[in-house]
Amino acid sequence: QVQLVESGGGSVQAGGSLRLACAASGYSVSMYYMNWGWFRQAPGKEREGVATIDSDRSTRYADSVRGRFTISQDNAKNTLYLQMNRLKPEDTAMYYCAARLGGSWAPLSPNGYNYWGQGTQVTVSS
């Protein structure tokens, strides 16, 4: 069973930065061979993909965050990161990390991810 614990959320003003972290544990295969993603859900909206990285290290970004957010992973620390720069009020949401087993594919759709963290809140004020 994979456990994912997010941290790093908080309240910032527009234009600021935050770095989210997702600590992973409890899996038998190396983090290196798994597919990972960051997703977010604002009140009254569906969960949406923000950034993903697959086991081949290919990354994908939602159009709304491309150029501002960067996904990365530190296999030695079993940690996934999301560096968020130039934050906007519309980035306000609960942010979740997720892991997908099998193959080399990390879609931006939240469907198909096997494990989810509990989330960390990001609030951006104007």
Side-chain angles (χ1 to χ4, degrees):
Q1 188 73 13
V2 177
Q3 291 87 43
L4 304 176
V5 180
E6 301 96 336
S7 62
S11 297
V12 296
Q13 290 190 328
S17 298
L18 284 173
R19 188 175 79 155
L20 305 184
C22 173
S25 63
Y27 46 89
S28 58
V29 299
S30 170
M31 183 182 187
Y32 185 88
Y33 297 105
M34 297 175 68
N35 305 286
W36 301 89
W38 284 100
F39 299 83
R40 66 187 182 188
Q41 188 167 18
K45 296 188 177 180
E46 293 186 353
R47 189 169 297 187
E48 63 177 358
V50 176
T52 66
I53 183 167
D54 64 29
S55 59
D56 286 342
R57 308 285 88 77
S58 294
T59 57
R60 297 170 183 83
Y61 294 92
D63 290 343
S64 59
V65 307
R66 188 176 292 111
R68 300 188 296 123
F69 291 10
T70 303
I71 188 171
S72 63
Q73 62 185 92
D74 185 330
N75 295 327
K77 296 182 178 180
N78 292 332
T79 302
L80 181 74
Y81 298 101
L82 183 69
Q83 178 66 45
M84 305 187 296
N85 298 327
R86 303 199 308 276
L87 282 160
K88 303 176 180 181
E90 51 264 43
D91 294 319
T92 295
M94 185 72 78
Y95 283 70
Y96 302 88
C97 67
R100 184 178 183 277
L101 303 175
S104 179
W105 176 237
L108 283 171
S109 168
N111 299 323
Y113 284 82
N114 306 93
Y115 302 102
W116 291 85
Q118 293 299 307
T120 186
Q121 177 69 37
V122 172
T123 302
V124 185
S125 59
S126 58

